[in-house]
Amino acid sequence: MRLAILTDIHGNREAFSAVLADVERRAVDRIVLLGDIVGYGPDPEWCADKAAALVKAGAIAVRGNHDNAVGDSSETMGKVAAAAMDWTRPRMNEAQRTFLAGLPLTQELGDILFVHASANDPGDWIYVTSAQRAMGSFRVCTSRLIFCGHVHVPALISYGLTGQVQEHEFRIGAAVPLIRSRRWIAVVGSVGQPRDRSPEAAYAILDTGTNELTFRRVAYDVSTTAAKIRAAGLPDALAIRLVKGE
Amino acid sequence: MLRPSEGLEIDGFKLGECLHQGGFATIWDVTHPLYRTPMVMKVPTILDGYDGPTIVGFEVEQMIMPRLTGPHVPRVMGVGDFSVMPFIVTERIPGKSLLQLFKTAPLPISDVIEIAARMAEAIHALHKQHVVHLDLKPDNFLRRETGEIVAIDFGLSRHDELPDLLSEEFTIPMGTFPYISPEQYLRQRDDLRSDLFALGAMIYELATGKMPFGQPERLKGVRKRLWRDPVPPRALVPEIPEWLQEIILRALEVDPNNRYQSASQMLFDLSHPKQVKITARGLKTQRDGFWTVFRRWRKMRKVRRFAAPPTMLSQIDRAPILMVAVDLSAEMEELAHRLLTWVQRMLVIQPDARVACVNVIKTARIGLDPITTDDGENIHVSRLVTLRAWAEKLELPEERLTYTILEHSDPGRALLDYAANNHVDHILMGARGHSSTRRYLGSVSSQVVAEAPCSATVIRLAQTASEADAAAS
């Protein structure tokens, strides 16, 4: 089975559409959304509706901190994120709010665990930014593969037979065999707001048959999204960030 | 975890006799009801407790080997997981490793060249698939009955597109001491040219019967090769031609930048001995003197790494073999000139390219040529002179240029065969203008473009209006 794993869409309709179009062409059997469907971006309604439709059609989805903040105003956030959330919240209708609030924090599929942030205490939104930070996730579960987002910078970390945790370099587009003697955490890059100096939308494809993971990038119309952000009166920093990919 | 034993069945594979018991792994003869190919199973010997290097080495093999294809690697038939019993099943290559052959060194020069070329060919095949082997030695080469050499044991290898499980984990240099390159000693694991160093050491051994750096037992002994040069092969075996010593010592250069830049370029020299440019390396009769070595020691002892190579793939792309098929006939002078301009342009973007200039003498299809042998010789020589004169304007150092005159009844076929045999990366050639005869009979350039085993660029002169009219009529 081939899974397309998308995360941190953040209300970016253009990026989300471009990734879904790319997924269409790559013989994917099932879509996984690792949360943060809304927040930051100018099209939270469209993205939430699209995500709900995908889930209805069989996609797996988990809740991110921004999705949570729509219904939970006590969620702590940075200044820009909070301003964008104040803009997002009133735009969500009842159905969208219910959909986002109803998403589980984790989901499992065989020996794979999906979570928005760190697997240890998923609701605490810990950033998995290093091999050290990944340790907690390996400890709390027995899943062989863990997929998370939240960081907006893709990473691949393994946990070996002798207990060593290693972060690995990888190349975009090259399939990496997730050899079974190790457990793996893949931090999938962001669809709607990449922060690794590339503005292209990020996602990943896991082939459970060949046991290979491919990180992918998809170009999309960044300038349209940036213009929408400015027109909507959202913080200008969010538009600049998209263009620069940081 | 299961331990291998005769009669054990796992994933459909049934273990036969144990063929080899090594320090890190055992090799078993295996059968499978679905496969008729003779097969062997390699099972790593995992000691109780911490055995990191063996485990990771085996993980590396499990990652890399299933991705490799072609006659120069064993075909993988099955892979087993650590949870039950780790193993890799591959086709069984009949015959022994090259180790037996190396034990009989020094070999006759013609055998040395033949085996060296075959090894270079195998290494080139690996490099083209993004893999640098990093542990090349006689035991890790097998020979097929058809002659191709097969590389085995990828436990220390590095795949350009895959995570390097070994790099962060171990801090000691990994490799086999007599053949390990200086940069591997410095723990650089990303340079294709490391394999060329090992190849140079092996050719040295085949030709002289001695290892260029002896058999150091400690790392300290390995380090010496950063400043101490080996005894020149000709000082040990005077029959070794200067050109072969040139090739060997160039491959054994300490700084990877001074070696061959690709296995295919080294293979090219092994196949064109007459065109190897002999430098001081080829003429050397003894090791460098005390002061030279001392100065080198003062410089090298502080070196922590060599200039980082670009990515492996760009390394291959950067050092291509560019084949230029030149039409030397009088009416094609302008086209030949245009072709020269294009070669010059390509050399700007590919400064490490090596240029193989080729010209074909078309011979009669059936029977003997009307020209006598003497005339034939004359034509051959005069063509060579013209070809050299054409290429001189490229102003390339001699060692990066070769000239070949081919004789064939079918020029297109001759060019294509030459390109395939010499692992050419890019063919450049001129095309004559359009004409109706050409349209019906087909031109050499269109045949080459259609069947080339690599990229091909055709240079054509811009048509004048009257020529276009003539072609259209």
Side-chain angles (χ1 to χ4, degrees), chain A residues 54-137:
Chain A
L54 290 170
V55 169
K56 210 171 169 199
I60 296 170
V62 294
R63 195 188 337 148
N65 50 321
H66 287 253
D67 308 324
N68 195 58
V70 170
D72 181 356
S73 48
S74 69
E75 185 71 62
T76 50
M77 288 186 136
K79 215 168 128 193
V80 175
M85 189 41 68
D86 290 341
W87 180 91
T88 304
R89 239 179 239 124
R91 283 177 165 72
M92 297 280 95
N93 63 28
E94 188 54 38
Q96 289 158 345
R97 271 201 298 274
T98 313
F99 166 69
L100 293 174
L103 290 172
L105 284 174
T106 60
Q107 289 232 49
E108 279 182 272
L109 180 72
D111 59 357
I112 314 170
L113 177 76
F114 301 107
V115 57
H116 179 66
S118 183
N120 54 315
D121 208 348
D124 203 20
W125 320 116
I126 299 162
Y127 288 92
V128 180
T129 46
S130 62
Q132 206 55 36
R133 291 277 196 97
M135 207 55 209
S137 294

Side-chain angles (χ1 to χ4, degrees), chain A residues 161-162 164 166-169 171 174-177 179-182 212, chain B residues 50 55-56 59 63 67 81-82 160-165 168-169 311:
Chain A
L161 282 174
T162 51
Q164 78 283 21
Q166 247 182 304
E167 185 167 351
H168 303 283
E169 286 179 22
R171 184 176 291 184
V176 178
I179 47 173
R180 290 179 190 279
S181 48
R182 295 185 179 220
E212 287 179 331
Chain B
Y50 182 84
I55 293 173
V56 178
E59 288 182 316
M63 263 193 165
R67 304 207 154 203
D81 185 19
F82 278 84
D160 192 19
E161 292 188 332
L162 296 181
D164 184 18
L165 303 179
E168 299 114 70
E169 198 126 354
T311 64

Side-chain angles (χ1 to χ4, degrees), chain B residues 124 127-128 192 311-320 425:
Chain B
H124 182 56
H127 290 179
K128 271 202 298 196
L192 294 175
T311 64
M312 271 189 231
L313 192 64
S314 72
Q315 241 183 306
I316 298 178
D317 287 346
R318 230 173 50 142
D425 298 284

Side-chain angles (χ1 to χ4, degrees), chain B residues 125-199:
Chain B
L126 294 182
H127 290 179
K128 271 202 298 196
Q129 298 181 66
H130 301 252
V131 170
V132 48
H133 189 285
L134 297 174
D135 194 19
L136 291 174
K137 54 179 167 183
D139 339 25
N140 284 344
F141 282 117
L142 303 177
R143 195 149 43 151
R144 285 187 196 273
E145 279 159 342
T146 43
E148 288 101 347
I149 282 182
V150 181
I152 57 164
D153 199 344
F154 293 85
L156 293 184
S157 301
R158 170 85 204 266
H159 191 297
D160 192 19
E161 292 188 332
L162 296 181
D164 184 18
L165 303 179
L166 285 159
S167 76
E168 299 114 70
E169 198 126 354
F170 304 101
T171 45
I172 50 154
M174 287 167 288
T176 304
F177 289 176
Y179 308 101
I180 190 172
S181 68
E183 64 274 15
Q184 269 174 281
Y185 170 81
L186 296 171
R187 300 201 308 269
Q188 281 176 266
R189 291 180 37 80
D190 49 7
D191 201 323
L192 294 175
R193 297 166 296 189
S194 304
D195 284 350
L196 303 184
F197 184 91
L199 178 58

